[in-house]
Amino acid sequence: MAEGRASETPTRDALEPHPLIEGAQSAESLTGSLLRPIERKAGRVWWALFFLTLGGTGLFGLAITVTLVRGIGAWGNNIPVGWAFGIIDFVWWIGFGHAGTLISAILVLFQQKWRASVNRFAEAMTLFAVMQAGLFPLLHLGRPWLFYWLVPYPSTMKIWPQFKSALPWDMVAITTYFLVSLLFWYLGLLPDLASARDRAKTPRRQFWYGLFSLGWTGSARHWHHWRTAYLLLAGLATPLVLSVHTIVSFDFAIAQVPGWHSTIFPPYFVAGAIFSGLALVLTLLLPVREPLGLRHVITNKHVDILTKLLLATGMMVAYGYLQEHFFAWYSGDEYEMATYAFKRTGTWGWLFWVQMTTNVLVPQLFWFSKLRGNVVVVWFAALAVDLGMWVERFTIIVPSLAHDFLPKSWEHYSPTWVDFGLLFGSMGFFGFLFLLFLKFIPPVPISEVKELHHELDQALREKEA
């Protein structure tokens, strides 16, 4: 009788068709499975990708070296297109970092438990993307070794930065965002680094994980201070999502350039940043969850939620596209109207329609649950959005500068191999850092997933009762 009743007990999978944690799990099995990616030896695929991204990092270093030796004249910039790939890549990379803070900090404050399995991927992506982004404004300075002129250091001549310019505010925003994101990410790592230390099989691994876990013992006092600090950092990081890309948008919005001088840029840029960041999370998450054995904690439920968020932010971006073209027409400003007409039909008009296809039409696929559940469709759609958001930054910057107020100053822009080297090299460097993250740091927060597992088990027992 007892055995018959036990066999009829519903499982979590039976009660919820798309659970956040699949299968019959325990705290011990979750700890073992989530630490397995860093405990086992790297396979051939990891090494192949490692050397590929290492080559990309070498290309990045070469392009930076050429830029430092020859100056930004090695780029395709001209008059009037003084901004091009350098700033396009900067805005593109800084946008990717916003989904990490959205998934981690904002959802902590809203107590959304589904974030537990994906937040560390997003946080790592944030850090690595901001590292790429921070390099491009420095290179664009022409003399990057004098970057400290942007900081209000105690100058003998009392020459302070020009705070009416957006550039010093960019530096403050990026530096603050990177430091807060790094602290938030590292704080979340402490319990898991201690778990890796306790399970380490070699003295070297035990030493290094023990060093970086900062003496974590899991006592009630440690957990109390950890939760307090985690919540405070989440509250501090949340306004940064809005402030950082708003300040980045000021680079354009405060300029007297047709197509840039618009008050819609701050919210439009923030929505686009979160949109592109969510797409990159899906691009990175889907290919690695099976090889790393994380299918039971990164489930189709997580993919479904992320694609819904991608659809929602995609609608915001589409509204921004509609409004900027509407404002250009409604303003009656002939320069503004001519600039947007050139974007649609000029030399780079085909890029505008690529942008509209990838960023407006592709996300509409996620209205359908079957397509949200198709991993291949989701991955290619996310990849298309990644591409489309870079194209969007190109169509914002280059056409507006190439066709400014004076027709006699109009000039065609063509990138050089150094421009492409910086773009693809930064991708290689990003991939190199991400592979190291997957190899040496638990990619999913063990403590948070175990807490979620405990809460789901409690809910299951309540339903059984």
Side-chain angles (χ1 to χ4, degrees):
M1 292 287 291
E3 291 179 1
R5 285 195 301 271
S7 64
E8 294 173 1
T9 301
T11 63
R12 187 185 301 116
D13 292 5
L15 290 173
E16 187 179 357
H18 302 291
L20 295 174
I21 299 177
E22 292 182 346
Q25 305 292 338
S26 64
E28 293 77 12
S29 67
L30 285 172
T31 301
S33 62
L34 298 182
L35 284 176
R36 195 168 298 122
I38 67 171
E39 291 177 339
R40 64 189 180 189
K41 292 183 178 180
R44 293 180 179 179
V45 174
W46 188 91
W47 280 111
L49 292 173
F50 177 81
F51 285 113
L52 179 64
T53 56
L54 187 62
T57 304
L59 174 64
F60 195 38
L62 175 63
I64 290 176
T65 302
V66 172
T67 300
L68 295 179
V69 172
R70 294 180 52 192
I72 60 174
W75 300 355
N77 297 11
N78 55 41
I79 301 297
V81 187
W83 285 8
F85 267 45
I87 302 301
I88 295 167
D89 297 344
F90 160 64
V91 180
W92 188 56
W93 278 116
I94 200 71
F96 283 143
H98 282 62
T101 308
L102 170 74
I103 293 174
S104 299
I106 296 178
L107 296 183
V108 165
L109 300 179
F110 284 97
Q111 298 183 353
Q112 296 296 307
K113 298 298 184 180
W114 65 267
R115 61 174 282 282
S117 297
V118 298
N119 68 324
R120 187 161 296 159
F121 278 95
E123 290 167 12
M125 181 196 78
T126 291
L127 292 175
F128 304 149
V130 173
M131 288 172 65
Q132 314 307 314
L135 293 172
F136 288 100
L138 295 180
L139 294 174
H140 218 299
L141 289 176
R143 294 184 289 174
W145 49 88
L146 298 178
F147 73 94
Y148 61 89
W149 286 4
L150 298 172
V151 182
Y153 67 99
S155 171
T156 305
M157 302 298 291
K158 297 183 179 180
I159 301 174
W160 304 105
Q162 173 55 275
F163 289 108
K164 293 181 180 179
S165 167
L167 191 57
W169 293 103
D170 276 341
M171 183 166 186
V172 172
I174 294 169
T175 305
T176 305
Y177 189 60
F178 178 77
L179 291 176
V180 172
S181 299
L182 179 62
L183 289 172
F184 189 67
W185 181 64
Y186 183 62
L187 186 65
L189 281 174
L190 291 180
D192 296 350
L193 293 176
S195 297
R197 173 201 64 197
D198 297 338
R199 288 173 55 96
K201 297 180 180 178
T202 63
R204 185 176 63 178
R205 292 176 65 89
Q206 190 175 29
F207 170 78
W208 286 111
Y209 284 120
L211 177 66
F212 286 105
S213 63
L214 303 180
W216 177 274
T217 62
S219 64
R221 180 170 171 267
H222 281 186
W223 277 111
H224 172 71
H225 290 312
W226 183 86
R227 292 185 185 280
T228 302
Y230 202 65
L231 191 62
L232 288 173
L233 283 174
L236 181 61
T238 297
L240 291 177
V241 176
L242 302 177
S243 66
V244 173
H245 226 58
T246 297
I247 291 173
V248 169
S249 75
F250 289 165
D251 292 345
F252 309 98
I254 65 177
Q256 297 293 335
V257 175
W260 286 7
H261 195 65
S262 172
T263 55
I264 199 174
F265 266 35
Y268 166 41
F269 268 51
V270 171
I274 298 174
F275 178 57
S276 63
L278 290 168
L280 188 59
V281 169
L282 287 166
T283 305
L284 297 173
L285 198 66
L286 295 178
V288 302
R289 64 173 185 167
E290 291 286 354
L292 295 181
L294 302 175
R295 183 66 177 76
H296 60 299
V297 292
I298 304 176
T299 67
N300 288 339
K301 179 71 170 179
H302 295 96
V303 177
D304 185 72
I305 295 173
L306 288 171
T307 50
K308 287 177 180 177
L309 287 173
L310 191 68
L311 173 62
T313 51
M315 296 295 287
M316 297 177 193
V317 170
Y319 177 75
Y321 292 161
L322 176 64
Q323 286 297 88
E324 65 174 349
H325 286 264
F326 171 76
F327 289 156
W329 169 78
Y330 191 70
S331 68
D333 187 324
E334 59 183 3
Y335 300 104
E336 197 84 4
M337 290 189 289
T339 295
Y340 279 96
F342 180 70
K343 286 185 180 183
R344 295 188 298 268
T345 61
T347 308
W348 300 282
W350 65 276
L351 285 176
F352 172 81
W353 297 109
V354 169
Q355 164 196 332
M356 299 303 290
T357 301
T358 56
N359 298 346
V360 177
L361 297 182
V362 168
Q364 306 310 311
L365 297 173
F366 299 137
W367 285 105
F368 307 100
S369 58
K370 288 186 178 180
L371 295 180
R372 293 198 303 270
N374 189 317
V375 175
V376 176
V377 170
V378 171
W379 189 79
F380 277 105
L383 195 63
V385 171
D386 295 333
L387 169 66
M389 291 307 293
W390 187 92
V391 171
E392 179 213 276
R393 272 59 178 224
F394 184 96
T395 58
I396 287 174
I397 294 169
V398 173
S400 295
L401 290 173
H403 277 222
D404 58 4
F405 294 101
L406 296 176
K408 70 175 183 179
S409 69
W410 291 357
E411 185 68 35
H412 180 72
Y413 167 78
S414 297
T416 67
W417 74 267
V418 181
D419 291 308
F420 286 111
L422 289 171
L423 172 60
F424 293 110
S426 63
M427 293 181 189
F429 186 38
F430 176 87
F432 175 75
L433 295 173
F434 194 76
L435 286 173
L436 293 179
F437 156 71
L438 294 178
K439 184 67 186 75
F440 295 107
I441 295 175
V444 173
I446 303 169
S447 58
E448 295 185 46
V449 170
K450 288 163 70 174
E451 181 181 358
L452 174 62
H453 174 263
H454 177 69
E455 293 179 1
L456 292 176
D457 273 354
Q458 280 189 327
L460 179 63
R461 285 194 291 270
E462 290 175 2
K463 287 184 178 180
E464 290 175 359

